[in-house]
Amino acid sequence: MDMIELARDFGRELQKDERYLAFNAARVASDEDEELQALIGEFNLKRMAINNEAQKEEQDEEKVRTLNEELRAAYNRIMANENMVRYNETKQELDLFVQRLLTIISMCAEGEDPATADYNPS
């Protein structure tokens, strides 16, 4: 078996891992959460409004301040959403696991012993 096919097999196995499955379920729940998607849409509109105001030659500082406050409030509502919290938690767990895997592979590519190569998060 060549290395590319081995990597594809590895990818298939990764997608069976509990961390991937939890992340994928959280991603789908976030995507299907209409309230969360509306909050994200509101956030994006506020961000665009801030950008539009910032590009004007004569900016309305009060309007920019108000928009920034509204943007922060929208962001806080997004980050407090149960599905977003679960998404972020599961994404972090998956990212740490993938980082460990990549570190082991990198260490092996540098000549480390595959039996002892591992990721040290510090």
Side-chain angles (χ1 to χ4, degrees):
M1 176 179 306
D2 75 4
M3 296 298 287
I4 299 300
E5 191 55 38
L6 192 59
R8 293 182 197 290
D9 287 344
F10 180 80
R12 283 186 277 279
E13 290 303 311
L14 175 64
Q15 290 179 347
K16 295 177 189 175
D17 185 84
E18 65 188 42
R19 287 157 285 231
Y20 173 82
L21 295 173
F23 166 71
N24 195 49
R27 182 187 57 77
V28 168
S30 291
D31 288 349
E32 293 176 351
D33 184 332
E34 291 179 12
E35 178 185 349
L36 176 58
Q37 294 307 311
L39 288 170
I40 291 170
E42 176 188 343
F43 176 85
N44 288 331
L45 288 174
K46 297 293 181 193
R47 190 177 57 186
M48 288 176 11
I50 290 169
N51 288 338
N52 289 339
E53 189 64 32
Q55 292 179 6
K56 292 181 179 177
E57 285 188 30
E58 292 186 30
Q59 298 174 11
D60 181 343
E61 294 301 324
E62 180 62 25
K63 184 174 184 178
V64 171
R65 186 187 63 72
T66 300
L67 287 169
N68 273 315
E69 288 174 4
E70 292 171 355
L71 182 75
R72 280 191 290 279
Y75 177 82
N76 289 335
R77 289 192 308 273
I78 289 168
M79 298 313 287
N81 178 282
E82 178 182 322
N83 285 319
M84 182 56 79
V85 169
R86 190 171 320 113
Y87 173 88
N88 285 330
E89 290 171 350
T90 59
K91 175 124 176 60
Q92 183 177 16
E93 288 175 23
L94 180 61
D95 287 348
L96 285 171
F97 181 59
V98 170
Q99 180 61 46
R100 182 178 182 196
L101 297 171
L102 292 172
T103 299
I104 292 169
I105 291 169
S106 293
M107 290 174 76
C108 292
E110 294 172 2
E112 295 288 327
D113 180 359
T116 59
D118 208 340
Y119 173 65
N120 183 353
S122 65

